[in-house]
Amino acid sequence: MTIAPPSTDASPRGRGRPREFDVEAALDAALRVFSERGYHAASISELTEAMGLASGSVYKAFGDKRGIFLAAFDRYRAVRRGLLDAELARAETGRDKLTALVSFFASSSHGETGRQGCLVVGSAGDLALFDSEAAERVATAFMTDETLLADLIRLGQSDGSISADIDSAAAALALLCLTKGMRVIGKTGRSGEEMAAAAEAAMKLVT
């Protein structure tokens, strides 16, 4: 996806073709800044430098820092969900899919990705407290993930891979808390082995 900011060429022969930039690549760069620095600490100069754009192009495309953030948030959710869906598609039973989901969060909670943190989790405390639109996005993201967890548990119960005695709603909420907590812990430099062990322990909630 590309966007073409208006050209500043005012020559008598016409303005010519406006320069274009890759919006998705620019937003990917912006979300790395937001994930690492947080909304408040991220400056426009840091964002424009990371995005490889002039400040004028950024303002024309997104309006302001808040506009960049909301667009980056939506981009982040879409990319992460696409990656997760690919993992789920490779699993067969409900339990296998649930394991894949928990492992997906665990694998994102160490190394460079772990240190970057989760834009959704970070936004819950960094921006959502005073911005209603951001708060709605965060709430929707959490609810979407919780619903998916509950659906996978119920799928496992229907195919016999998860005990029918499990309270799907309570287990889904517990796993939501655990998986989001993984992204917080991941910023502290935990190892892949530690996070894999945490994922294995989390799955005992649905044994």
Side-chain angles (χ1 to χ4, degrees):
M1 179 171 63
T2 58
I3 189 165
S7 172
T8 56
D9 180 5
S11 67
R13 293 184 179 182
R15 297 182 179 273
R17 183 175 181 176
R19 291 179 298 168
E20 296 182 348
F21 64 85
D22 187 326
V23 173
E24 293 177 351
L27 291 177
D28 287 343
L31 70 86
R32 284 193 293 271
V33 175
F34 283 127
S35 294
E36 293 173 357
R37 300 277 290 153
Y39 177 79
H40 297 293
S43 67
I44 282 290
S45 61
E46 287 176 312
L47 289 165
T48 54
E49 181 178 358
M51 297 166 80
L53 301 173
S55 59
S57 295
V58 171
Y59 286 120
K60 289 173 184 175
F62 304 107
D64 54 16
K65 185 172 82 167
R66 179 177 176 275
I68 300 171
F69 176 83
L70 294 176
F73 186 99
D74 292 342
R75 166 72 177 162
Y76 177 82
R77 285 289 296 168
V79 170
R80 290 283 296 176
R81 185 54 190 262
L83 294 172
L84 176 57
D85 285 346
E87 293 294 324
L88 297 180
R90 286 191 281 269
E92 295 185 1
T93 68
R95 184 178 184 81
D96 289 343
K97 291 179 183 293
L98 191 63
T99 299
L101 184 151
V102 174
S103 297
F104 177 78
F105 279 91
S107 66
S108 301
S109 302
H110 65 89
E112 182 180 355
T113 302
R115 287 189 294 273
Q116 287 179 355
C118 173
L119 193 63
V120 177
V121 173
S123 303
D126 197 32
L127 182 62
L129 294 178
F130 65 89
D131 188 299
S132 60
E133 189 172 358
E136 183 177 354
R137 276 173 160 80
V138 171
T140 298
F142 284 160
M143 182 58 67
T144 298
D145 288 351
E146 185 177 356
T147 298
L148 176 60
L149 285 161
D151 288 345
L152 295 179
I153 293 170
R154 287 191 288 268
L155 176 61
Q157 290 174 322
S158 68
D159 64 27
S161 61
I162 293 176
S163 171
D165 295 331
I166 298 292
D167 183 330
S168 61
L173 179 56
L175 287 172
L176 178 72
C177 294
L178 286 169
T179 52
K180 299 309 180 187
M182 286 178 179
R183 301 307 309 277
V184 176
I185 296 298
K187 291 182 72 69
T188 67
R190 306 307 285 260
S191 70
E193 291 76 14
E194 287 177 306
M195 299 316 297
E200 184 177 351
M203 286 302 298
K204 293 181 179 179
L205 288 172
V206 291
T207 298

